[in-house]
Amino acid sequence: MLVMEKLGIHFPQGYLFNDCSAQVNTGDRVGLVGKNGAGKSTLMRLIAQWEVPTNGQIHRQRGLEVGFLTQDIEIDTSSTVFNYLFYSNEELNGLRTSIDSINHDLVSRTDYEEESYLNLLDELNAANDRFGLLEGYQWEEKIAATLSGLGFGLDDFEKPLESFSGGWKMRAELAKILVNQPNLLLLDEPTNHLDILSIQWLENYLSRFEGAVIVISHDRLFLDNVTNRTWEISQGKILDFPFAYSRYKEQRAEDMERLTDAKKQQDKDIKHTQELIDKFRAKKNKAAFAQSLIKKLERTERIEIDNDMVARMNIFFPLNVQPGKWVIEMDSLGKAYEHKRLFRDISLTVGRGEKIALLGPNGVGKSTLFKCLMKEIDHDGKVELGHNVKITYFAQDQAERLDKNKTVYETVDDVAVGDVRKDLRSILGAFLFSGEDVDKKVAVLSGGERTRLALCQLLLSPSNVLILDEPTNHLDIQSKQVLKTALQKYEGTFLIVSHDREFLDGLTNRIWDIENQTLKIHHFSVQEYLVRKMEQPSGKTPANTAPKPVEKVVVTASQPELTLSNDDRKELKRQRTQLTNKIKQLEEQISRFEKEVEQLNDQMSTMDFADVEATAPVLKAFELAKSNLDQSTEAWMEASENLETIPVV
């Protein structure tokens, strides 16, 4: 499907990666991982042909269709959400126009036996057959099902896309890519703006997808459930592991342990060699020996290790004072915006030590509920805090609330009190801000760095209740694990919103679910909650409510009934027999050519494309077999269509 040959990309600061080779076959599910800045998104752009490599080539299978979801999409259109997808397939648009035009001509004509009229009927049949082959008659149903699966309500379908936030525009773009069913999906952080149920839907969709997928994600469970291979960009190279993420991490840890031992031995050997060079360099009778050692040292390929600094990150949330038996009490709590009510009449008490996950689709009011608890917005009903309760709140946009003009050190210095001020630099080091990093302005930090800094502020604000709204946004997998460990050790109470299922698993002992404008409490696991929610009837009937269905038009223009002679009947039988035999022969050819293409494809998967002499004959044979398969398939379709036009007598 796709072969990368000695690929390299060079920037002013040097090569991002170089001399990288890899192959993607149909059915591959590749998780692309690596540190921030390693080149993951750049590699995606090269594969999508949005950028040109400095070195090497990318060989693409003829007719390969690529769907590319980027993190920085820009959609500025007044088109409705539904129409944005409906008109996204150019071939279907053309066929739809052609069918409408032909039907208009047929209705206005009465010359039923003229050749031009019969030619129009043939054109209509061909257009209808192609439209059906492309699933054009299920197009509206597919669009509605995909939009619903990604969280759009039926009332959203006719809203202009420009009225939605960036996250919802990203969902619409993902939906457009999925309904068009490309051969290769390139997904850069597809779960970033999806809620927990939409992520589950996307996983189910990808499990049935027949093409290949390359995905960048910081969602460990998503990678484990979706992928069967892992590419790691490390030290400017692509390392290929035939496992999903968790198994890859185990294998990588074993490799790193062996590599570390090898590096220690190499460092020891280099040091010894350098000592010998220094010892004999000035002696005339040993000068030649010293020179040979120098050349040996120059030829030595130094082992480099990509250290995982996050693994050393160790944080905990200090407890301020013990509160009373209950920490938060809600009495008839409700909130509405203009004509939309999010929730009403919530009356419950949060006990000391409860660990609560607030779940539900985007837009039901999870963040709004937290803002009500923090009294940041007006609301119906009452919210009261218990005795000695001290809340620390991490808002969904907490990282963006940081003062961009302050340095990293100044940001934490503003909130730190007491003896902890003496250890600020050590604490910042635990959050991977060391050396000159502490003097950087917040404005130049990446999204992940800002989130870590905001969490550091959280650490320096002793409390006994944490309210955390999407604290894992922009954190990599290792950082999320460190945060999870800290929360598991936390002795206070916390309420958390997160769409990361692996992060929530084993973390909470309660689930709050906002549904039908009320709050439901569940005591089962996150996984069981998801199973139950996915099994619930959604009440949506997208296939029945999708606008403007295009129906296959059947022409019923009256034509004179034909009376056939015995000779005519014999001729029709002969034609049907001839076409039936031809179809059978073509089916045997198609089966033979399919096996040949499959065998050649397997052979190419193990070839070294740098050896042009060896690969050229195989590539030529593959192209010939593929061409024969296409021709046989087209001939089979034509014969089948012709057979349908001959009446059975």
Side-chain angles (χ1 to χ4, degrees):
M1 179 176 281
L2 182 140
V3 177
M4 295 185 295
E5 180 185 358
K6 297 185 176 181
L7 201 65
I9 186 77
H10 189 273
F11 291 147
Q13 61 269 33
Y15 273 99
L16 192 58
F17 49 80
N18 192 28
D19 199 25
C20 295
S21 298
Q23 181 167 325
V24 180
N25 300 312
T26 301
D28 281 345
R29 305 285 192 269
V30 182
L32 182 55
V33 302
K35 289 184 175 181
N36 290 339
K40 300 187 294 294
S41 295
T42 301
L43 180 59
M44 287 276 214
R45 296 174 73 86
L46 290 173
I47 294 173
Q49 296 186 333
W50 285 24
E51 292 185 13
V52 179
T54 309
N55 305 327
Q57 291 180 317
I58 298 180
H59 305 283
R60 295 168 58 145
Q61 176 182 310
R62 183 178 300 174
L64 181 69
E65 297 176 358
V66 178
F68 184 23
L69 181 74
T70 69
Q71 292 190 56
D72 52 355
I73 62 168
E74 293 184 7
I75 304 174
D76 186 17
T77 176
S78 58
S79 172
T80 65
V81 173
F82 189 89
N83 283 344
Y84 183 67
L85 274 68
F86 185 81
Y87 295 108
S88 64
N89 189 299
E90 292 298 327
E91 186 172 2
L92 284 180
N93 292 342
L95 288 169
R96 207 177 288 117
T97 301
S98 178
I99 291 170
D100 289 343
S101 176
I102 295 172
N103 278 319
H104 181 270
D105 288 346
L106 290 174
V107 169
S108 63
R109 294 176 60 163
T110 57
D111 53 339
Y112 305 132
E113 296 183 4
E114 292 294 327
E115 185 176 354
S116 60
Y117 186 89
L118 296 177
N119 288 339
L120 275 179
L121 286 176
D122 290 340
E123 288 181 30
L124 179 62
N125 285 332
N128 272 326
D129 288 342
R130 181 61 180 166
F131 196 75
L133 188 64
L134 295 175
E135 298 184 332
Y137 299 109
Q138 295 82 42
W139 188 236
E140 294 82 5
E141 182 181 349
K142 287 172 59 179
I143 290 172
T146 304
L147 287 173
S148 298
L150 291 174
F152 287 93
L154 293 177
D155 56 341
D156 293 326
F157 288 10
E158 294 304 313
K159 292 179 181 177
L161 193 54
E162 62 189 3
S163 67
F164 288 85
S165 67
W168 284 98
K169 287 180 180 178
M170 189 281 291
R171 290 189 188 210
E173 184 68 16
L174 176 58
K176 185 185 81 170
I177 292 170
L178 296 182
V179 297
N180 281 282
Q181 294 182 309
N183 311 110
L184 174 62
L185 283 174
L186 305 177
L187 305 177
D188 193 350
E189 295 289 358
T191 64
N192 263 4
H193 299 283
L194 299 182
D195 58 58
I196 199 166
L197 297 176
S198 298
I199 293 172
Q200 187 82 33
W201 179 90
L202 180 59
E203 279 185 5
N204 294 338
Y205 178 93
L206 293 176
S207 69
R208 301 188 301 270
F209 181 65
E210 294 180 354
V213 180
I214 302 177
V215 58
I216 299 171
S217 178
H218 288 153
D219 187 327
R220 180 178 192 143
L221 187 59
F222 181 77
L223 288 174
D224 278 344
N225 290 343
V226 167
T227 66
N228 54 25
R229 287 174 66 187
T230 301
W231 287 354
E232 180 188 1
I233 301 180
S234 176
Q235 301 290 337
K237 301 295 180 185
I238 296 178
L239 307 178
D240 191 352
F241 297 84
F243 319 111
Y245 184 83
S246 292
R247 179 69 184 91
Y248 139 77
K249 285 297 290 184
E250 294 174 4
Q251 182 66 47
R252 187 69 168 125
E254 294 173 5
D255 293 346
M256 290 294 288
E257 186 175 351
R258 288 193 292 268
L259 201 61
T260 301
D261 291 341
K263 180 172 173 54
K264 287 179 181 178
Q265 184 61 48
Q266 186 185 68
D267 290 344
K268 184 178 178 181
D269 293 343
I270 290 173
K271 182 180 178 182
H272 179 64
T273 303
Q274 189 62 54
E275 289 173 349
L276 290 176
I277 292 171
D278 295 339
K279 180 178 181 181
F280 297 123
R281 174 180 277 159
K283 298 181 179 180
K284 290 183 179 180
N285 60 336
K286 296 290 186 179
F289 176 61
Q291 284 299 317
S292 67
L293 290 176
I294 291 173
K295 290 180 180 179
K296 176 187 174 183
L297 210 56
E298 290 173 348
R299 290 193 303 267
T300 301
E301 187 174 344
R302 305 297 174 98
I303 298 174
E304 295 183 5
I305 298 178
D306 199 356
N307 289 321
D308 187 0
M309 293 181 64
V310 181
R312 301 200 301 268
M313 189 171 153
N314 185 23
I315 63 173
F316 67 96
F317 296 107
L319 194 67
N320 185 23
V321 293
Q322 278 289 0
K325 289 186 178 180
W326 63 272
V327 294
I328 301 175
E329 186 174 47
M330 290 168 269
D331 183 14
S332 301
L333 181 64
K335 181 62 183 177
Y337 289 103
E338 296 179 354
H339 302 295
K340 182 178 182 181
R341 176 161 290 279
L342 296 175
F343 46 83
R344 67 173 79 237
D345 299 327
I346 297 177
S347 298
L348 57 87
T349 301
V350 180
R352 181 178 64 203
E354 288 193 32
K355 321 292 186 186
I356 298 166
L358 177 56
L359 304 180
N362 285 350
V364 296
K366 300 187 295 295
S367 296
T368 302
L369 178 60
F370 278 0
K371 290 176 182 177
C372 291
L373 298 182
M374 294 304 301
K375 300 182 180 179
E376 286 195 351
I377 56 175
D378 295 331
H379 55 80
D380 303 329
K382 294 181 182 179
V383 174
E384 293 187 6
L385 303 182
H387 178 65
N388 278 342
V389 169
K390 171 66 175 175
I391 296 179
T392 294
Y393 175 45
F394 185 95
Q396 190 172 134
D397 60 347
Q398 192 71 31
E400 300 306 315
R401 294 187 183 190
L402 300 174
D403 189 336
K404 295 179 176 58
N405 295 318
K406 291 186 177 180
T407 66
V408 170
Y409 186 86
E410 290 169 345
T411 300
V412 296
D413 189 45
D414 286 346
V415 298
V417 293
D419 293 340
V420 74
R421 296 175 60 82
K422 297 181 295 183
D423 301 318
L424 282 185
R425 290 187 178 272
S426 297
I427 293 170
L428 283 170
F431 283 85
L432 309 185
F433 295 107
S434 57
E436 297 178 356
D437 292 339
V438 300
D439 297 319
K440 287 182 179 178
K441 295 283 188 181
V442 171
V444 304
L445 300 181
S446 67
E449 289 172 328
R450 290 187 190 184
T451 300
R452 290 204 309 269
L453 183 57
L455 287 171
C456 188
Q457 272 193 327
L458 199 69
L459 169 70
L460 295 169
S461 306
S463 61
N464 44 41
V465 176
L466 298 174
I467 295 182
L468 310 173
D469 192 357
E470 294 285 5
T472 61
N473 273 359
H474 305 294
L475 288 183
D476 57 32
I477 294 174
Q478 292 89 343
S479 297
K480 283 192 285 190
Q481 185 57 47
V482 171
L483 174 60
K484 179 177 180 176
T485 301
L487 288 173
Q488 287 173 326
K489 296 177 181 178
Y490 182 58
E491 296 178 359
T493 304
F494 66 74
L495 295 82
I496 186 168
V497 169
S498 176
H499 296 149
D500 192 310
R501 296 155 299 167
E502 196 275 337
F503 178 76
L504 291 175
D505 188 38
L507 184 62
T508 62
N509 53 25
R510 300 281 191 283
I511 291 177
W512 285 2
D513 182 15
I514 298 179
E515 183 179 325
N516 298 326
Q517 300 182 5
T518 189
L519 189 67
K520 295 184 178 181
I521 302 176
H522 305 294
H523 297 276
F524 37 72
S525 68
V526 172
Q527 190 57 41
E528 188 177 353
Y529 163 82
L530 285 172
V531 171
R532 289 170 181 256
K533 294 293 283 189
M534 297 300 286
E535 289 176 349
Q536 282 182 5
S538 63
K540 299 173 182 176
T541 54
N544 296 330
T545 55
K548 298 179 295 188
V550 178
E551 297 181 356
K552 183 170 182 175
V553 178
V554 179
V555 178
T556 58
S558 60
Q559 299 188 38
E561 186 176 347
L562 297 176
T563 302
L564 299 175
S565 65
N566 288 333
D567 289 341
D568 290 336
R569 291 176 183 276
K570 288 180 181 179
E571 176 61 20
L572 289 175
K573 285 183 179 179
R574 186 191 67 78
Q575 291 178 8
R576 285 190 64 84
T577 301
Q578 187 178 27
L579 283 171
T580 301
N581 291 335
K582 183 177 181 181
I583 289 171
K584 185 177 180 180
Q585 291 173 0
L586 287 169
E587 287 174 347
E588 292 174 354
Q589 287 181 17
I590 289 170
S591 178
R592 187 169 68 253
F593 289 137
E594 283 179 339
K595 290 179 181 177
E596 188 176 347
V597 168
E598 185 178 355
Q599 290 171 354
L600 288 167
N601 200 34
D602 290 342
Q603 185 177 348
M604 287 191 299
S605 67
T606 59
M607 287 195 321
D608 179 8
F609 281 84
D611 188 350
V612 178
E613 290 186 5
T615 57
V618 180
L619 290 172
K620 186 176 180 180
F622 177 80
E623 290 297 331
L624 179 60
K626 191 73 170 59
S627 176
N628 289 336
L629 177 60
D630 292 341
Q631 290 176 11
S632 297
T633 303
E634 289 177 8
W636 178 87
M637 290 175 62
E638 183 180 354
S640 299
E641 290 170 0
N642 291 337
L643 183 62
E644 290 178 1
T645 64
I646 300 175
V648 179
V649 293

